[in-house]
Amino acid sequence: MSTAVAGLTAAAPPAAAPAAAATTSDPKIREAAEAFEGVFMSMLVEEMMKSTEVAKGNPLYTGLMTEKLGDQISRSGGIGLADVIERQMGGGAA
């Protein structure tokens, strides 16, 4: 629909973008993004654990457990934060 309004015409729709080329991601960027998500997940797990019996145990073991659990959650897909961070840092996460 091309309508003239006060001397202006509607622009044609933009041409379809070419298929995105396969982008390669720097493994260091991905590693840093997953590490950050792991720290974030560990903080979330720590807060959740405060209301359980686990929190009454030895703080050293509780801290190690929450750290490892957060890292494992991140490595197994996490909540998608690593993908967002990787894209923002110039990586090619889909």
Side-chain angles (χ1 to χ4, degrees):
M1 176 179 193
S2 176
T3 336
V5 178
L8 300 175
T9 58
T23 57
T24 56
S25 177
D26 184 357
K28 290 181 181 181
I29 290 176
R30 183 66 191 178
E31 184 180 334
E34 285 180 358
F36 182 84
E37 184 176 27
V39 169
F40 181 72
M41 293 306 298
S42 295
M43 292 169 64
L44 289 177
V45 169
E46 181 180 4
E47 288 300 315
M48 289 188 284
M49 291 286 192
K50 286 182 179 179
S51 64
T52 66
E53 292 293 319
V54 175
K56 296 177 183 173
N58 186 329
L60 175 65
Y61 296 124
T62 304
L64 288 172
M65 186 179 70
T66 58
E67 179 184 340
K68 294 301 176 188
L69 185 56
D71 288 343
Q72 185 59 39
I73 291 170
S74 175
R75 278 195 301 273
S76 63
I79 58 174
L81 185 60
D83 294 337
V84 172
I85 293 170
E86 183 178 10
R87 264 194 310 273
Q88 289 296 316
M89 293 177 70

